[in-house]
Amino acid sequence: MTSIGGAEMVDWNLAVATATRLVRPGPEVSRDEARAVVAELRRHAKASEEHVRGFTRMGTEDIHDTPVLVVDRPGWVRANVAGFREILKPLLEKMQERRSGSTGGAVLGAVGGKVTGVELGMLLSFLASRVLGQYETFAPATRELPAGEHGGGRLLLVAPNIVHVERELDVQPHDFRLWVCLHEETHRTQFSSVPWLRDHLEGEIQSFLGETDVDPATFLERIREAAQSLAGGRPEAEEDDGGRSFVELVQTPAQREILGRLTAVMSLLEGHADYVMDGVGPQVVPTVAEIREKFQQRRAKGASRLDMALRKLLGLDAKLRQYRDGERFVRAVVDQVGMDGFNRVWTSPNTLPTKAEIAKPADWIARVHRKAES
C-alpha cells in the first residue's frame, strides 16, 4: 500500500477487491473444457514464437525471458494493479513531498485513497472483461505472478475473454486462439528483441507523470471540470472540447506533447502486431480472413451505447485508431522497403516514427533510409 503522510493515496487492495467483486463472470465452461482451453493457449503461445520470429526476422532461438500466464479476469486485475503500483510510484512520492500544508492534500489524505481505490477498481472491472491478451511490461515478479528473471515482463492471456469473443463471433475456436496468440507473441518479440524499448517507454511515461500538476487542490479542480464536461454540464463556450476524452481533459500542454510521442510508439507496436498476426495467419490459421472481418466489425461498433460511452471516457477509441493507423504504416513501409528495411525502426529511439510519420509513412522512409544511405 502506498501511504502518503499516514493516509493512503491509492488503496490498491481496495481497487483489487472492488474490481474482483464487480467484474462480470466469464462464459460457462466445464472444468475439463477450461483445462483444455488453458492447455491449448499455452501450446499456441509456444508455437507462435517460431511463427513470429520467422515472419518478422526478429529475435533468436533463445527462450524469451518472459513467462506466459493464462489468467482469469481477477488474475488480469491483480497483474495490472501491480503494474500501476510500480509505474506510479515516483508520482506518488512527488505528491507526498507536496502534500504538507495543502488543504487539497488534506482532503485527498482523508478520503482520496479509498475513493481512488474504488474508482480504479470500477475501471478495471470494465476493462477486465474486454482484454484478450497483454504483454505486461513493468510489474515486478511475485510468487503468484512471475515475470522474467532478467528484466523481462510477462505475457498474459485472458482465457475467459478469448472464449467469450470466439463464441460471440461464431468463429473456429482453435484458429481464433492461435490468431490471438500471434498478436500477443509479437509484442513479446518486440520487447525481447529490442533491449532499449522498455526503458524508452518507461522514460516517456515517467516524463509524462513528471509533468503532472501535483497540487491536490488543482488536480481535484481538473477532475471536477472533466466530470462536468463528460456529463454534458460544461459551459457552452467550451463545446469545442466535446471530442476529448477524460485523459485528454486533465493533461497539461507539455503532457500532450509527450503523449504524441507515446501515441506514435503505441501505434507502431499495435499496428505491427496486427500486421504480423494477419501476415502469418494464412499459413497457420485457415479461417483468418473470416476472423479478421468479424473482429473488425466488433471493434468498430462496440457492444452497446454504454460501452461506447465508456470507451470514449477512457480514451479507448483512440487505442482503436492506433491499431488501424499503425497497421497501415507498417504495411506501407514493408511494401516500399521490405521487412528488413522496416526493421530499421528498431535501431534506436531516433528511428521510431513520429506521430506525423505514422500518418505519412513516406516521410519516415525518407528520413531514416535516405539519411542512412547518404
Side-chain angles (χ1 to χ4, degrees):
M1 201 72 67
T2 300
S3 179
I4 307 298
E8 299 161 358
M9 285 295 297
V10 181
D11 190 333
W12 301 107
N13 289 343
L14 183 58
V16 172
T18 300
T20 301
R21 184 175 67 253
L22 295 179
V23 72
R24 292 181 291 183
E28 292 186 8
V29 295
S30 67
R31 187 179 297 273
D32 288 343
E33 184 179 3
R35 288 172 177 162
V37 171
V38 170
E40 183 173 29
L41 287 172
R42 286 174 175 158
R43 289 197 302 272
H44 283 332
K46 181 64 178 176
S48 295
E49 293 183 26
E50 182 176 352
H51 296 316
V52 170
R53 283 199 303 262
F55 185 81
T56 64
R57 302 175 191 171
M58 297 172 66
T60 66
E61 294 300 320
D62 296 335
I63 297 175
H64 291 313
D65 182 29
T66 48
V68 176
L69 306 180
V70 182
V71 299
D72 58 9
R73 290 168 178 175
W76 179 88
V77 168
R78 289 191 293 273
N80 277 267
V81 166
F84 285 143
R85 291 184 68 168
E86 186 70 16
I87 204 69
L88 291 176
K89 189 182 300 182
L91 174 63
L92 295 179
E93 291 174 350
K94 185 177 180 180
M95 292 186 77
Q96 181 177 11
E97 296 174 359
R98 291 283 300 272
R99 178 174 177 257
S100 178
S102 168
T103 302
V107 173
L108 279 178
V111 299
K114 298 297 182 185
V115 171
T116 307
V118 170
E119 290 175 342
L120 178 59
M122 292 172 66
L123 295 178
L124 288 172
S125 72
F126 169 75
L127 295 171
S129 62
R130 285 157 174 77
V131 176
L132 301 182
Q134 174 187 357
Y135 183 82
E136 211 292 312
T137 315
F138 300 111
T142 65
R143 184 174 62 180
E144 183 183 29
L145 293 166
E149 295 180 1
H150 305 291
R154 53 191 171 217
L155 183 61
L156 307 176
L157 298 170
V158 190
N161 295 349
I162 293 173
V163 172
H164 171 78
V165 174
E166 70 191 25
R167 290 179 179 179
E168 179 185 329
L169 298 181
D170 190 25
V171 293
Q172 215 286 333
H174 303 294
D175 286 2
F176 183 74
R177 294 167 194 175
L178 177 55
W179 188 69
V180 170
C181 287
L182 288 169
H183 182 103
E184 303 307 331
E185 174 58 34
T186 302
H187 288 317
R188 185 163 68 151
T189 297
Q190 291 163 348
F191 282 91
S192 63
S193 303
V194 185
W196 53 264
L197 183 58
R198 179 190 181 279
D199 289 342
H200 173 71
L201 268 180
E202 184 175 14
E204 290 282 58
I205 292 170
Q206 292 303 335
S207 295
F208 180 89
L209 295 176
E211 290 292 334
T212 299
D213 189 339
V214 295
D215 176 68
T218 302
F219 187 75
L220 284 173
E221 179 66 15
R222 280 202 187 154
I223 295 294
R224 185 189 64 80
E225 292 174 356
Q228 285 182 348
S229 175
L230 292 163
R234 63 184 180 278
E236 291 183 4
E238 298 176 17
E239 286 292 328
D240 59 334
D241 282 341
R244 293 163 63 188
S245 71
F246 174 84
V247 175
E248 293 170 315
L249 286 165
V250 297
Q251 285 170 14
T252 66
Q255 285 176 314
R256 293 191 188 103
E257 182 178 341
I258 297 169
L259 188 66
R261 298 195 298 269
L262 278 169
T263 297
V265 176
M266 297 312 298
S267 295
L268 170 68
L269 298 180
E270 296 294 356
H272 184 231
D274 264 14
Y275 178 81
V276 171
M277 72 196 295
D278 287 344
V280 174
Q283 286 74 48
V284 298
V285 182
T287 59
V288 65
E290 176 192 359
I291 290 172
R292 167 55 73 187
E293 181 180 1
K294 290 183 175 180
F295 195 75
Q296 290 286 56
Q297 291 173 356
R298 181 181 185 272
R299 271 182 180 172
K301 69 180 183 180
S304 65
R305 291 187 66 180
L306 175 61
D307 184 75
M308 293 177 70
L310 286 169
R311 277 169 36 179
K312 178 61 184 176
L313 171 68
L314 300 174
L316 298 182
D317 53 345
K319 185 171 178 62
L320 298 182
R321 290 196 296 272
Q322 290 175 9
Y323 288 104
R324 182 189 65 229
D325 297 344
E327 194 274 342
R328 200 154 43 207
F329 170 84
V330 176
R331 184 174 302 279
V333 172
V334 173
D335 286 348
Q336 288 294 313
V337 297
M339 186 63 75
D340 290 335
F342 165 78
N343 282 339
R344 289 190 186 181
V345 78
W346 312 116
T347 304
S348 76
N350 292 330
T351 56
L352 291 171
T354 65
K355 190 175 180 180
E357 288 170 342
I358 288 288
K360 296 183 178 180
D363 290 353
W364 179 87
I365 294 172
R367 176 172 67 87
V368 173
H369 281 263
R370 291 177 186 171
K371 182 177 180 181
E373 293 163 2
S374 61

